[in-house]
Amino acid sequence: AKSLPTTALDHLLELAVKIDQNEERARTRLLAHESRSDKSAIEERPMKNIASDFCRSYLDSDPIASVIKSEANPSAGREAAVLHLVRECGVDYSSLDHAIGMYHEGREDMPSQRQKLIATTAVHKASEAKYIRVFNHILSDSRRDMGLFCLIQLRSDVRTYSRRIEQEGSGTFEDVLKKHRLRQLDNDLKALLSTLFLQPMLELRRISYESTPASIIEKVARKEAVHPLQSLEDLRTRLGPDRRCFAFFHPSLPNEPLVFVHVGLLSQVPESMGDIEGLSTSEPKVATFYSITNTQPGLSGVDLGNFLIKRVVEELQRDFPEISTFCTLSPIPRLVKWVEHKLLGKDKFFDASLLNESDLENLANILGCSAESAPAVLVRLLKDPAWFEDEAVAAALKPCLTKLASHYL
């Protein structure tokens, strides 16, 4: 008896072959005017079974690791499936060249718009990677929640794999080509997922002890990335009456918070996280967003956070009309790198709108250096993770850093 496929790669190969067979049968029927009801050529295993088996076996396999493990087998598991997608399921350039050639050759003989449209459609179809058709079948022929979650995990693996190759730093032609193909696969998956996570499709829910299942609260607590929870009491406070937590959910993934945000309802604008507790009130004038977390690395770059904040602002304005100020205590990612680039760039161009002579003199007095060397000393200080623990220095630098941060934002 013929053995059934067992690994994600086995199911992927079977799925790709099935797609090719279906497309070939469709072309044959079109040319021979055969009836679509002819089932004699239909394969035993339906497409939905193959697609579901691929998703199940892929999700049951270990995620691609950020570093090569000695016991890892690249010919099995998720890595093998990703490698097959980029090597064998990309754009068929010979077909694309043929379609483009046919378009150019027949352009003079295309009197009607319909003929031109057919030729253009052929070029468009040939320029599409084969794995796009694979992904569409995964979404349409497998169980909806499993297919969608599988593509999210697949993109997360592709991004991890790309970073690993970058870190390994191999300059061989094969690795350069692999990096390019992985980047294209990442971009195509991002484009596809972006169409599946449009704002109107997403459900906004408030996370609370009263209305939210314990399993979802546990996921929110476990995946908090900005201010990790210190205790159960900390969690109760964050979900308490003077706070709000909201999350986006997709209809196909009703138990998976995709992105969530914590908000403090305060009497005035806080200066630090420590102020949130003391300024909390049942009659808020200020809403402070102090933590936002994307729970799915595979949705990185899909603009869920921006949508979430806008929806939450609308929700809070409806529930608390007296709130007139919305602010954030969120970190400012990559600010130090930006400051270093602007103040110590290779071209040595110094933008006086960032720091004028007065600012440089103040920095020199605070940092105990010359005005000329102040930018370099400031950057060196900011790279120290504990620089703000010197409260006097932190307070003295606040005007300068606020100015730099406003330019950055």
Side-chain angles (χ1 to χ4, degrees), residues 155-206:
R155 182 167 181 247
S156 177
D157 286 325
V158 169
R159 291 172 64 80
T160 299
Y161 199 5
S162 295
R163 287 194 297 270
R164 195 177 84 191
I165 293 176
E166 290 285 351
Q167 291 166 0
E168 290 168 0
S170 172
T172 64
F173 175 77
E174 182 181 354
D175 278 348
V176 170
L177 184 60
K178 188 190 298 183
K179 283 190 286 188
H180 171 75
R181 288 172 171 172
L182 284 168
R183 192 177 302 118
Q184 187 60 53
L185 175 57
D186 177 31
N187 290 336
D188 288 338
L189 277 168
K190 177 184 173 183
L192 176 59
L193 290 170
S194 294
T195 65
L196 300 172
F197 287 88
L198 296 173
Q199 184 182 358
M201 300 179 183
L202 302 176
E203 178 191 356
L204 179 68
R205 295 187 211 163
R206 180 185 169 189

Side-chain angles (χ1 to χ4, degrees), residues 2 14 17-18 21-22 25 39-47 50:
K2 185 178 178 181
E14 186 184 12
V17 169
K18 181 77 171 180
Q21 290 175 340
N22 285 356
R25 280 198 296 270
K39 297 183 179 180
S40 60
I42 299 296
E43 300 289 335
E44 287 186 14
R45 269 169 62 78
M47 183 76 81
I50 304 172

Side-chain angles (χ1 to χ4, degrees), residues 39-59:
K39 297 183 179 180
S40 60
I42 299 296
E43 300 289 335
E44 287 186 14
R45 269 169 62 78
M47 183 76 81
K48 64 179 182 179
N49 289 9
I50 304 172
S52 295
D53 286 345
F54 167 73
C55 293
R56 194 174 295 109
S57 58
Y58 189 88
L59 293 172

